[in-house]
Amino acid sequence: MATIRIETVADAASGQVFAEIYRDDSPAPIMKSEAAFASHEDLVEQVLEMLRTQFPDHFPFVEDPTIGV
């Protein structure tokens, strides 16, 4: 099993927010986004929306927008 950690970081130069993604106990990020988000909350919502799309709830009675049902 792997642990993935996503941190939101404010960029002092632009005033925008970016994400750093870490795997397990890695001291350095394995991936980093551009500083393109207005706030930490905006970035969190974008990440959650991406995860909801890629990993939908497949309970039989839940509407799944990825398959149009």
Side-chain angles (χ1 to χ4, degrees), residues 10-27:
D11 180 41
S14 68
Q16 295 192 315
V17 178
F18 63 93
E20 291 183 339
I21 295 86
Y22 297 84
R23 181 175 179 175
D24 298 319
D25 291 328
S26 173

Side-chain angles (χ1 to χ4, degrees), residues 3-62:
T3 300
I4 304 293
R5 185 177 84 247
I6 302 170
E7 294 186 6
T8 63
V9 182
D11 180 41
S14 68
Q16 295 192 315
V17 178
F18 63 93
E20 291 183 339
I21 295 86
Y22 297 84
R23 181 175 179 175
D24 298 319
D25 291 328
S26 173
I30 60 170
M31 187 180 298
K32 185 176 171 181
S33 77
E34 293 294 325
F37 300 90
S39 67
H40 295 278
E41 293 77 19
D42 182 39
L43 173 53
V44 168
E45 188 53 42
Q46 292 288 330
V47 169
L48 291 175
E49 185 60 33
M50 176 188 63
L51 291 172
R52 287 182 196 110
T53 301
Q54 296 299 316
F55 303 102
D57 183 356
H58 286 291
F59 183 71
F61 302 110
V62 173

